[in-house]
Amino acid sequence: MATNVTIAPYAATPAELIPAIASNTRATFRTNKTKSIPWRLTQLRKLYWAVTDYTPQLTAALLSDLHKTDYEATLTEIDWVRNDCLFMIQHLEKFAADEKLGSPHVPATFSVMSFRIRKDPLGAALIIGPYNYPVQIILSPLIGAIAAGCTAVMKPSEHTPACAMVLKELIETRLDKNAFAVVNGGIAETTKLMEERWDKVFFTGSTAVGKIIAKKAAETLTPVCLELGGRNPAFITKHANLQLAARRLMWGKTLCSGQVCMSQNYILVDSEVVDSFIEFLKVAYKEMFPNGAKASPDLARIVNKRHFLRIKKMLDDTKGKIVMGGQMDESELFIEPTAVVVSSKEDSMMAEESFGPVFSIYPVHSLDQAINLANSIDRTPLALFSFGNKKENERVLNEMTSGGATLNDAYFHGSCNTVPFGGVGESGSGSYRGQASFDCFTHRRTVATTPNWAESLIRVRYMPYQWKQLKFLTRMTAKKPNFDRNGAVVKGFGYWTGLLLGLGGKGVKGAFLRWLFVLVVVAGMRAQRA
């Protein structure tokens, strides 16, 4: 545990200073210094060492705000960000390099124009963070903004005040003060920030607030990346490994005390195995909390009284049956991991995202019923999980839409910091992490360079128009469809000739590999005869 750490009392940024802070980041971007790759790498390296040096303060803040242990703080926040920095430092030059565009994107007639994609930073970014991962989900998007060459202002959650104050000191003392700043506060300060002109807004939080952010950003056509929540379903068929499903989903609802946007809100269980699944849940509970959840040194707490009462109300109002857990202690903001068997999607346990250590179990008679029910509850959840055989899992993936998905586990797709993560529909838009973080704050600008000597090649575009030239160009470049008006492929002479010469391979590469294989076999046969 961190000792002898002093964290400044929480203080909101004076509202009258916010316009100047935003203006400064815009002005700094216009100096063009942030476009320098060496400058970006320097800032990323400084951020890595800042997080390393501030680890005692960060762990103390996470303990104070969320009762997160050093172990969980290190695993899910501090080391996560440090690894993010190292990954981006290692790959930044590759991510930022121009991409040459050739065939099949650029036709042969345009090849002399040297088409390429240039990676330009969008500009000044606003990053608004949540309370559940107050370090990771502020600094990980910041890493993407730095890597892309943007300036940024961060607004940490006011619900985690200790983390907000540590982040402010960390960022404003270690990084370029003119390029990066932290604004602390609540609704008033966030509203003030949204009145400023930004080139990208990155928001993580609830769907309700995300809609407000998106609406305000739309007034200035500001692009947004929204990482929101959702009523995430888990599917358990009678072919699932019930013991593993119970253990893994229990973990999903105990990490950060279930305050994870990807964790399951409800579990649709085949009615034939409901009782067995519940028994395995109890076994998993006992393994994780041999002395009970409240006595566990590892379980975090609910962030504040308001959210404690919100979750408590869900349990108070349910018409279902509590089959595991149920204990609460408001004085400690403690809610025991709790499972409730329900029979209606209108139940309080199903009606809203729990965002805590409670979840419902809904018995179903078939996978058809489960999929139809899930689609009627939330058509675009942030995550979904399916425990069954391969065919059942693939069916769930095919018939459900979600930001991400994990098969036979709880949100493993969101546990790797180098693969894209994001929502869809009601659960958000855009993605980040790994290269996606760089792309999130980058404009892919198409650039063409036309050489002076190519003037005769582009004569056809100038007035007075000459039909003769246009017809010649059309004959040279026009492609003919290999399908009829009903969309059916026409298998004429060209089709069969290509199939024969290509040995059934698709494209030049496929044909080459097949011919290479044939030549190797023939050569081998000749060698044997010799």
Side-chain angles (χ1 to χ4, degrees), residues 29 32-47 88-89 92 95-97 118-121 143-150 180 438 442:
F29 179 76
N32 293 315
K33 73 175 182 178
T34 67
K35 296 180 179 179
S36 162
I37 298 297
W39 183 90
R40 302 185 210 181
L41 288 170
T42 297
Q43 297 303 308
L44 289 171
R45 293 172 188 140
K46 285 184 174 183
L47 181 57
M88 195 62 76
I89 290 167
L92 176 58
F95 294 162
R118 176 185 168 92
K119 320 292 182 54
D120 283 347
I143 289 167
I146 295 172
C150 294
F180 308 106
F438 174 87
T442 297

Side-chain angles (χ1 to χ4, degrees), residues 432-455:
Y432 74 117
R433 294 185 183 173
Q435 183 173 353
S437 289
F438 174 87
D439 294 339
C440 180
F441 296 93
T442 297
H443 168 57
R444 292 171 58 86
R445 179 159 57 149
T446 298
V447 177
T449 303
T450 306
N452 293 340
W453 60 262
E455 189 67 9

Side-chain angles (χ1 to χ4, degrees), residues 51-235:
V51 172
T52 300
D53 295 342
Y54 274 79
T55 292
Q57 292 94 320
L58 291 170
T59 53
L62 288 164
L63 179 66
S64 173
D65 288 336
L66 288 158
H67 196 70
K68 283 191 181 182
T69 64
D70 283 13
Y71 188 97
E72 189 169 321
T74 300
L75 177 67
T76 66
E77 305 242 29
I78 296 168
D79 277 0
W80 181 290
V81 171
R82 283 154 42 92
N83 289 332
D84 258 2
C85 285
L86 293 177
F87 177 84
M88 195 62 76
I89 290 167
Q90 180 182 358
H91 298 285
L92 176 58
E93 291 186 354
K94 178 183 177 181
F95 294 162
D98 286 3
E99 293 179 16
K100 292 183 179 180
L101 290 176
S103 178
H105 309 287
V106 179
T109 49
F110 286 2
S111 60
V112 299
M113 282 60 177
S114 300
F115 278 83
R116 60 192 167 100
I117 297 293
R118 176 185 168 92
K119 320 292 182 54
D120 283 347
L122 287 173
L126 172 62
I127 300 171
I128 304 172
Y131 67 77
N132 58 333
Y133 288 94
V135 176
Q136 180 206 130
I137 307 184
I138 278 287
L139 296 184
S140 285
L142 174 61
I143 289 167
I146 295 172
C150 294
T151 58
V153 172
M154 278 63 65
K155 212 298 287 183
S157 173
E158 68 276 20
H159 298 312
T160 47
C163 289
M165 294 306 292
V166 173
L167 286 170
K168 183 174 179 65
E169 181 181 333
L170 181 156
I171 290 169
E172 294 184 351
T173 61
R174 293 300 189 91
L175 301 184
D176 188 319
K177 293 181 180 180
N178 292 317
F180 308 106
V182 172
V183 168
N184 278 327
I187 295 175
E189 289 74 19
T190 303
T191 301
K192 193 74 174 176
L193 282 166
M194 287 302 298
E195 291 174 356
E196 294 297 319
R197 184 67 172 89
W198 303 100
D199 299 296
K200 185 66 178 273
V201 174
F202 188 106
F203 170 79
T204 304
S206 70
T207 299
V209 178
K211 291 178 179 179
I212 297 171
I213 296 292
K215 183 177 180 180
K216 185 64 179 177
E219 294 178 4
T220 52
L221 298 179
T222 301
V224 296
C225 180
L226 301 175
E227 299 298 335
L228 312 177
R231 289 179 286 173
N232 306 317
F235 298 81

Side-chain angles (χ1 to χ4, degrees), residues 445-511:
R445 179 159 57 149
T446 298
V447 177
T449 303
T450 306
N452 293 340
W453 60 262
E455 189 67 9
S456 60
L457 298 178
I458 56 178
R459 165 64 186 85
V460 67
R461 70 185 184 180
Y462 294 120
M463 297 179 186
Y465 295 136
Q466 297 184 13
W467 277 101
K468 184 177 181 181
Q469 286 187 339
L470 180 60
K471 289 178 180 178
F472 175 77
L473 180 65
T474 301
R475 285 197 300 270
M476 293 289 293
T477 62
K479 295 181 179 180
K480 295 182 179 179
N482 66 339
F483 49 87
D484 61 23
R485 285 178 170 78
N486 294 318
V489 174
V490 178
K491 297 179 179 180
F493 177 77
Y495 171 84
W496 293 111
T497 301
L499 191 68
L500 178 64
L501 295 178
L503 298 180
K506 291 184 178 180
V508 176
K509 183 178 179 181

Side-chain angles (χ1 to χ4, degrees), residues 177-290:
K177 293 181 180 180
N178 292 317
F180 308 106
V182 172
V183 168
N184 278 327
I187 295 175
E189 289 74 19
T190 303
T191 301
K192 193 74 174 176
L193 282 166
M194 287 302 298
E195 291 174 356
E196 294 297 319
R197 184 67 172 89
W198 303 100
D199 299 296
K200 185 66 178 273
V201 174
F202 188 106
F203 170 79
T204 304
S206 70
T207 299
V209 178
K211 291 178 179 179
I212 297 171
I213 296 292
K215 183 177 180 180
K216 185 64 179 177
E219 294 178 4
T220 52
L221 298 179
T222 301
V224 296
C225 180
L226 301 175
E227 299 298 335
L228 312 177
R231 289 179 286 173
N232 306 317
F235 298 81
I236 297 181
T237 76
K238 57 187 175 184
H239 300 111
N241 183 322
L242 299 179
Q243 182 179 11
L244 280 180
R247 180 178 175 83
R248 292 172 178 179
L249 289 173
M250 177 68 78
W251 168 79
K253 271 298 182 182
T254 54
L255 188 71
C256 196
S257 198
Q259 296 165 112
V260 182
C261 56
M262 294 179 290
S263 66
Q264 77 275 7
N265 212 63
Y266 59 97
I267 308 175
L268 300 162
V269 187
D270 191 294
S271 56
E272 292 184 26
V273 297
V274 167
D275 292 340
S276 297
F277 176 69
I278 292 172
E279 290 306 309
F280 280 120
L281 273 179
K282 294 176 180 177
V283 171
Y285 176 98
K286 190 65 177 177
E287 289 176 349
M288 293 184 184
F289 309 110

